[in-house]
Amino acid sequence: MKKIMMIALVFALSGCAELQQIANQYPQLGTLGNADIAAGLKEALNNGITKQVSKLTATDGFYKNQAVKILLPAELQKVDKALRGIGLSSLADEGLKVLNRAAEDAVKEATPIFVGAVKNMTFTDAKNILMGSDNSATAYLQSSTTTALYSKFNPVVKNSLGKVGADKVWANIITKYNAIPLTADVNPDLNDYVTDKALEGVFKMVAVEEKDIRTNLSARTSDLLKKVFAMQDKK
C-alpha cells in the first residue's frame, strides 16, 4: 500500500510540475482552467469543421468557391486550350466541373477523421495552439490527420470520379485531344491530383474559420469561446 501511495504521489507531483511549467511559460493564461482551454479549442475546431468543411460538400462547394476551386493541372491546361480552339468549350467546361464535383463528394469522408483528431487533443496541444499563430489549430489538424485523410480520400475520390461521371467525361476529353494532329498524347492521374486539391481545400477552409475566431470578436459565439480566446488576445 505504501508503494502504491508513493507512486501516486510521484505522478501527482509530476503533474503539478508540468502545470507550473506551462503557467510560467504562458502567464497571460491566468487562472483559466485546463478543461476550459481544451474545451474552447475543441469548440473552435468543431466550428471550423461544421461551418466551413461542410460547405465544401454541397453542390458547387468547390466549383463556385474561388478560394478552393480545383483548376486544371499544367498538363491538362494545354488540353483545355486545344479543345476550346476546335469549338469544344462546353466539353472543356464540363471536364473542370466534374473534377470539382468529385472533390465535393469525397470531402464528406473528412468529418469523422477530424472529429477523432479533435477528441485526441491533449491539454499541452491546446495550450500551444491557443497561444500560437492564427493557423495553429489548422496546422495541428493538418499534422495529425493528413495521412489518414489521404488514405481515406484517395479511394473515395476514385469512386467519386465514377459517381459524378468524371471518368467518362475525361476519357472522352483525352480521346478527342489525343486525336488532334501534332499533339503529344496525355494520360493524367486525375485521382491523385483531385485528392491533393481536395485536402488543400479542406484545410484552407478550416483556417478561414480559425482566423475569424481569433481576430473577430463577434465570431466567438459562446461564452466559452469568448473567455478562452480573450487569453490569446493578451499575448
Side-chain angles (χ1 to χ4, degrees), residues 5-50:
M5 291 180 67
M6 286 295 293
I7 292 171
L9 180 60
V10 169
F11 276 111
L13 291 173
S14 297
C16 290
E18 181 184 359
L19 292 177
Q20 186 59 50
Q21 183 179 7
I22 293 171
N24 292 338
Q25 185 178 359
Y26 301 120
Q28 60 270 58
L29 292 174
T31 58
L32 194 64
N34 304 344
D36 284 343
I37 293 171
L41 263 295
K42 289 179 180 181
E43 182 177 337
L45 283 171
N46 282 326
N47 281 357
I49 294 166
T50 302

Side-chain angles (χ1 to χ4, degrees), residues 177-217:
Y177 173 78
N178 288 344
I180 299 174
L182 304 179
T183 59
D185 288 1
V186 296
N187 185 27
D189 186 344
L190 294 176
N191 193 41
D192 281 344
Y193 178 73
V194 174
T195 299
D196 287 335
K197 291 301 179 182
L199 286 173
E200 284 181 23
V202 164
F203 291 120
K204 186 172 289 187
M205 296 309 294
V206 172
V208 166
E209 182 65 19
E210 178 182 2
K211 185 174 182 180
D212 195 33
I213 289 175
R214 286 185 183 273
T215 59
N216 180 5
L217 296 181

Side-chain angles (χ1 to χ4, degrees), residues 43-129:
E43 182 177 337
L45 283 171
N46 282 326
N47 281 357
I49 294 166
T50 302
K51 292 181 180 179
Q52 300 296 340
V53 177
S54 60
K55 291 178 182 178
L56 298 177
T57 66
T59 300
D60 290 330
F62 272 85
Y63 189 62
K64 290 189 177 180
N65 182 341
Q66 294 304 312
V68 296
K69 182 178 181 179
I70 297 175
L71 303 177
L72 295 177
E75 182 183 11
L76 294 182
Q77 289 173 13
K78 61 183 180 181
V79 175
D80 182 88
K81 183 177 180 180
L83 290 179
R84 295 181 190 281
I86 60 173
L88 294 177
S89 295
S90 60
L91 181 59
D93 290 339
E94 183 65 13
L96 183 60
K97 182 182 292 185
V98 291
L99 293 186
N100 284 270
R101 289 285 182 269
E104 290 156 10
D105 187 58
V107 168
K108 295 172 185 175
E109 301 293 328
T111 299
I113 296 173
F114 277 154
V115 169
V118 172
K119 285 182 179 178
N120 291 331
M121 182 189 297
T122 67
F123 167 59
T124 303
D125 288 333
K127 290 276 190 180
N128 291 334
I129 290 168

